[in-house]
Amino acid sequence: MFQPKPDNEPCCGSPPGPPSSPDERPGYRLCSFVERFVATPEGVTPQVKTRLGLRDWLGTLRARLGIRRDHYRVAPGLYAAGSPCADSPVLVTANYKLSFDVLRRELTGANVWIVVLDTRGVNVWCAAGKKTFGTDELIDRVKAVGLARIVNHRELVLPQLGAPGVDGNRVRKTCGFKVVWGPIRARDLKKFLDSGKQAEPQMRQLSFSLGERLVLVPVELSLLVTPSLWIVLAIVVLSAVGPTFSLALTWLRVVEMTMAYAVGVVSGAVVVPLMLPWLPWRSFYLKGGLVGLVGGLAVTLGRGVGESRVLAMILVCMTVSSYAAMNFTGATPYASPSGVEKEMRRGIPLQVVALVIALALWVGGRFWS
Amino acid sequence: MNDFRYLPGVSTLRLKEDLCIGCGACVEVCPHQVFSVNESKATIVDLDGCMECGACALNCPVAAITVSPGVGCASYIIQTWIKGKGAVIECC
């Protein structure tokens, strides 16, 4: 016999979800970091959430691993954090989602405007170096969002690390807004704003702690994936070269040299960044060479050091580590371009010589032994 | 960045003290405390601390500071060696 279901039981599937947000528009997607929209004299502006959600953390993880990092961006323009009014401060940042997330996470309880510049999805500091976090972009963006009609004051708070790209004097002359250099780290922002926009000396000073070095490692490794595939292919080809062909010997040689290469990558791109303050010498190619030597000796342990292939493995490990460490200068906050060029003029010839000797020992060893 | 020091004597940073008006903009933008302002003149107190980011030169209102700024990344410099300084270079 037919019995109607009670009212509280859904007729099919799971119960309906929450109603659509009043801010949703056909054809437009509401970004997960937008809470709602607030009215301004220039139209509505998205109010951002100051707590990061699961999607933000997953995105952060993805960007840190170097997966589609260049595509992790937010739309440039004006945003609100909290309920800003015409007297609220204006903060400026890059449209790299990681920079944007770090900023909004520190703004719980604050009422500020955020102007996001189009830095092509690059963080503040690197974008300042490339001048996309730059004077013209800032002037154009301030005009485009109609900032002069939204706020009464004429002040923009910029992250200090944007200074290599932004000429504060020209911004003031061209669009009437004075640039105030904020702290380097977003976590000091509230203190900075609360103390009348005064930066304490330590807010202006860079740091490079173990944690700050650690988060850079995955991206360094991700940049090596494609070249590594080619290098392993070369190892396979070179391992087969010899007076007689033997599949077993070729396989052994592929495994041995790939191990030496892999240990070289880990030495230069992981161990050197982590142990940076404790390694001797200031040049990165030397630091990398030293760690590579230790790694090379470890990976060849138990094999006769006199053998040419063992020497070749150690040399490859040192060279790869030296090069990878030298490339890490680009991620450090204290290496100068003049210094990097100087050490490269010394390091690269040594790396080339070491590699040529390694190849001669590796391939030639099979002919003369 | 006192814990981390890079190669000494390489920085291209120069300050023309006669032009300096002592506004302190360089002190404000430098992330390595390379400058100090005393008696309405800036001085370079830590030349080897300079990483040539160029923030000071860009923000000096009287153009008293010169530096040759750039990207301190090996793969970038290799590309400038190969393609020339003016070329479009893919980097980090």
Side-chain angles (χ1 to χ4, degrees), chain A residues 28-51:
Chain A
Y28 291 83
R29 190 170 55 88
L30 197 64
C31 293
S32 62
F33 55 82
V34 174
E35 186 84 64
R36 61 192 178 95
F37 287 82
V38 293
T40 77
E42 289 290 299
V44 292
T45 285
Q47 184 200 54
V48 298
K49 295 174 185 171
T50 54
R51 277 184 62 173

Side-chain angles (χ1 to χ4, degrees), chain A residues 125 166 168 327 333 338 343, chain B residues 6 29 32-33 51-52 59 75:
Chain A
W125 196 12
V166 176
N327 225 24
S338 297
E343 76 160 274
Chain B
Y6 199 42
V29 297
H32 283 183
Q33 285 74 49
M51 56 166 201
E52 301 176 312
N59 281 279
S75 62

Side-chain angles (χ1 to χ4, degrees), chain A residues 69 122 125-126 129-131 135 160-161 163-169 181 184 201 204-209 213 276-277 282-284 323 326-327 329-330 333-345 348, chain B residues 1-12 25 27-33 48-56 58-62 68-78 80-81 85 89 91-92:
Chain A
R69 189 166 58 115
V122 173
W125 196 12
C126 289
K130 296 174 206 293
K131 310 292 182 203
T135 316
Q160 191 192 326
L161 290 185
V166 176
D167 177 350
N169 300 304
W181 297 107
I184 286 178
R204 298 229 171 278
Q205 199 161 353
L206 273 168
S207 57
F208 203 35
S209 64
R213 301 197 298 276
L276 199 59
R282 289 179 181 178
S283 291
F284 286 71
Y323 183 78
M326 196 175 70
N327 225 24
T329 52
Y334 70 99
S336 64
S338 297
V340 177
E341 191 147 1
K342 185 181 178 183
E343 76 160 274
M344 284 172 69
R345 288 190 188 283
I348 287 183
Chain B
M1 204 91 283
N2 292 328
D3 300 342
F4 295 92
R5 302 298 292 184
Y6 199 42
L7 310 186
V10 293
S11 177
T12 53
V27 176
E28 211 168 51
V29 297
C30 178
H32 283 183
Q33 285 74 49
D48 289 340
C50 174
M51 56 166 201
E52 301 176 312
C53 72
C56 53
L58 186 63
N59 281 279
C60 177
V62 292
S68 148
V71 180
C73 158
S75 62
Y76 181 91
I77 292 174
I78 290 175
T80 64
W81 287 351
K85 293 261 181 197
I89 283 156
C91 192
C92 25

Side-chain angles (χ1 to χ4, degrees), chain A residues 153-220:
Chain A
H153 62 81
R154 290 293 176 264
E155 254 185 18
L156 303 167
V157 177
L158 266 67
Q160 191 192 326
L161 290 185
V166 176
D167 177 350
N169 300 304
R170 192 152 73 81
V171 172
R172 195 185 59 243
K173 280 177 201 150
T174 315
C175 74
F177 277 84
K178 181 186 176 224
V179 169
V180 176
W181 297 107
I184 286 178
R185 283 163 292 262
R187 65 163 185 264
D188 292 328
L189 251 175
K190 270 170 104 176
K191 206 172 168 191
F192 174 81
L193 294 174
D194 290 345
S195 61
K197 304 198 185 81
Q198 289 297 312
E200 292 170 16
Q202 113 282 343
M203 290 184 191
R204 298 229 171 278
Q205 199 161 353
L206 273 168
S207 57
F208 203 35
S209 64
L210 185 65
E212 286 167 316
R213 301 197 298 276
L214 187 66
V215 294
L216 298 173
V217 167
V219 165
E220 289 294 311

Side-chain angles (χ1 to χ4, degrees), chain B residues 18-50:
Chain B
D18 50 318
L19 294 178
C20 176
I21 53 168
C23 71
C26 50
V27 176
E28 211 168 51
V29 297
C30 178
H32 283 183
Q33 285 74 49
V34 166
F35 298 92
S36 159
V37 175
N38 298 306
E39 295 164 13
S40 70
K41 287 278 179 197
T43 47
I44 297 174
V45 290
D46 185 12
L47 183 67
D48 289 340
C50 174

